[in-house]
Amino acid sequence: GEGSVWVLSDGILFQVDPIENRLARTIDPIPGNGVAAGDGSVWVIDNLAGELARIDPVSGRVAASASLPGSLDAVAVGGGHVWVLDQAAGTVAVVEPSTLSVIDTVRVGSDEHDMVFGGEAVWLADGGEDSVTRIDPLTRETAVFPVPEYAEAIAVDPDNGAVWVLIRAVS
């Protein structure tokens, strides 16, 4: 997102140039456990501090931050909103990007742990229920699709909207 690949590791945000296949810069300290890019910003969640930060991708500075309720376990951006998963509560908070305020909450499955925006929807992998959950960003309605075994990770192809699910065999 935002013309780069963004990786968060050990309090450092790495910006990678995908065309040149090189590290463009590092931004630190940026404590957190999740990162997503889109809608003109880079978004970082910090579960320990309970904060969502909006980072300017040009300057690398934190443009705004806000405390959010619950656990912050995954973040995605798209459809005009930032989506933050609270795994323990089984909910996704819908955050207004300009104010960083929670405007809605969507109930999801019992073990959602990976989340992405693509194909005009929010997608979550639910390992405990062996399923994938789709959230419609306009209506906030959910649809659940069964998968053969534990859904560990999820991705959406930006070219054709195909949803890819990493399945882990549990025996």
Side-chain angles (χ1 to χ4, degrees):
E2 304 312 309
S4 296
V5 174
W6 301 89
V7 179
L8 183 64
S9 179
D10 294 329
I12 301 171
L13 183 61
F14 297 91
Q15 181 181 6
V16 178
D17 181 329
I19 305 298
E20 299 291 323
N21 194 27
R22 67 173 178 79
L23 180 64
R25 74 174 155 176
T26 59
I27 303 168
D28 64 332
I30 303 288
N33 57 292
V35 62
D39 290 347
S41 297
V42 178
W43 304 89
V44 174
I45 54 169
D46 183 351
N47 194 26
L48 291 176
E51 289 193 345
L52 169 67
R54 181 176 63 227
I55 298 170
D56 181 308
V58 175
S59 71
R61 294 199 171 113
V62 175
S65 66
S67 294
L68 296 182
S71 182
L72 285 61
D73 299 303
V75 62
V77 61
H81 294 37
V82 179
W83 307 83
V84 180
L85 172 65
D86 180 341
Q87 183 182 23
T91 60
V92 174
V94 184
V95 178
E96 171 59 43
S98 60
T99 62
L100 299 184
S101 58
V102 176
I103 60 168
D104 202 357
T105 303
V106 179
R107 170 79 47 205
V108 292
S110 63
D111 191 24
E112 311 281 3
H113 54 270
D114 192 24
M115 181 172 64
V116 66
F117 189 94
E120 301 302 317
V122 180
W123 296 91
L124 298 104
D126 187 330
E129 298 295 323
D130 296 341
S131 65
V132 168
T133 303
R134 179 190 185 276
I135 302 173
D136 182 301
L138 299 176
T139 65
R140 312 286 199 289
E141 292 180 9
T142 61
V144 178
F145 305 93
V147 295
E149 292 206 46
Y150 192 95
E152 187 164 317
I154 193 160
V156 178
D157 187 315
D159 295 327
N160 62 21
V163 177
W164 293 85
V165 181
L166 175 63
I167 303 295
R168 177 173 44 118
V170 179
S171 40

